[in-house]
Amino acid sequence: MEKLALFGGKKAIDTTPEYKWPIITPSDKDYLLKMIEENEISYNFKSEEIDRLEMNFKKYLKMPYCLALNSGTSALYTAFIAIGISEGDEVIVPSYTFPATVIPLIHMGAKIIFADSENNTPLISIEDVKKKVSKETKLILVTHMDGFPVQVNLIRAWLKEHEYNALILEDCAQAIGAEVDGVKVGSLGDLAIFSFQQKKLLTGGEGGLLIIKNKEYYERAILLSYLQKRSFEEISDGRLQQYCYTGLGFNFRIHPLAAGMVNQQFSKMDNYADKRRQNMRMFEESFNSIPEVKLIGRIHENTLPSYFSFKFLYVDEAVDITKYVEALNAEGVPIVVSTTKPLHLEPIFSNFNSNKFSMDFLNKKLTSQFADPLIYCETYSKKVLRLPAYYDLTKEQVIEFANAFRKVGKNKNSLK
């Protein structure tokens, strides 16, 4: 057998494909330079670019209200306050999600109830959600993790059947362009957020978006995140108009240059997503006989993922996962163990007891309080591997990746 590169053998991949994102063209640069030359660097001076961004998404998602903000985290924070989450309110959240999905809730003093994942997936378990919903549940938060859509329609139907009034908020930060039954994520729940951070399929470097169906929630969100100008122009509710001058506390609006960068890529977004799906099909063809890993291509047949990255489950128990990854890295495969961890195990939640956050919280000694196990997300987090979501891989490059996996698999006894 060919000697592993980890032990001095020849690498399986001579030149590892470069992962570079986003794709910024000369016309993109010219467009942003023109914005600077025209002094479009503040919403309060010129709002056209931000207006254009919001209109793009309202048409794309067929949703009535949209607010462009400076990050997905700000969009979450604004959404939680706008719908009235306050101390003691029950909110069901996925444990397997990015921390920013949940952390803003501690500032409201919400009663955070963690739900497990489906077996061998990064998605919240609908069955576990059903077990944990009560008449007191105010919000169910779902994350379309890694670009794989949650079947929000099933949750909505079940809530309606059992006469529960909980709202549903979709965290679409990693999933723009994904679909359930042909319907885009972001339009399945009552509210949704997107992120335009650099790693995202559609990016402005930084930035976020809040999607809302309810007009009052939308006007509250304006008071929370845009100061004066927009409040005076758009708020029609007489109870809310008295706060137009002061606002309700924050300045979360997006920078026009970030909005301009997103707008420049907007027409290319579907092509970007299709290219990732094309790459996934090549991976599926080339990795169908590698027993050590299982490629996660599609979780539910009625869904269309958009692939935030390419994910593999490591299913071989004979060799430690870190040693396996080390061997692949040596062969030229830029794969890593996913860094996402179940939040219910994190120390911050051992001390959080539905009291609003203050800095005194940091003075408390962290305890090793036992967390109720959520077996599926804990297990998944320990065996999931991540490869960058390349835009322009060739068939030959995918085959090289597969051959590197096969080489390590054939030599796995040397890794024990």
Side-chain angles (χ1 to χ4, degrees), residues 158-197:
W158 187 86
L159 290 174
K160 183 177 181 180
E161 178 186 351
H162 292 81
E163 298 182 345
Y164 288 115
N165 295 318
L167 298 171
I168 299 175
L169 192 158
E170 300 175 73
D171 183 340
C172 309
Q174 299 182 356
I176 192 165
E179 300 177 3
V180 179
D181 290 326
V183 180
K184 303 287 187 187
V185 299
S187 59
L188 298 165
D190 299 286
L191 307 95
I193 71 96
F194 290 87
S195 169
F196 303 132
Q197 182 265 349

Side-chain angles (χ1 to χ4, degrees), residues 4 19 45 208 227 301 314 316 387:
L4 290 176
Y19 172 70
F45 180 70
L227 297 176
E301 285 302 314
Y314 182 59
D316 191 319
L387 195 66

Side-chain angles (χ1 to χ4, degrees), residues 315-327:
V315 295
D316 191 319
E317 297 180 359
V319 177
D320 180 75
I321 189 171
T322 55
K323 198 69 178 177
Y324 180 74
V325 168
E326 187 181 357

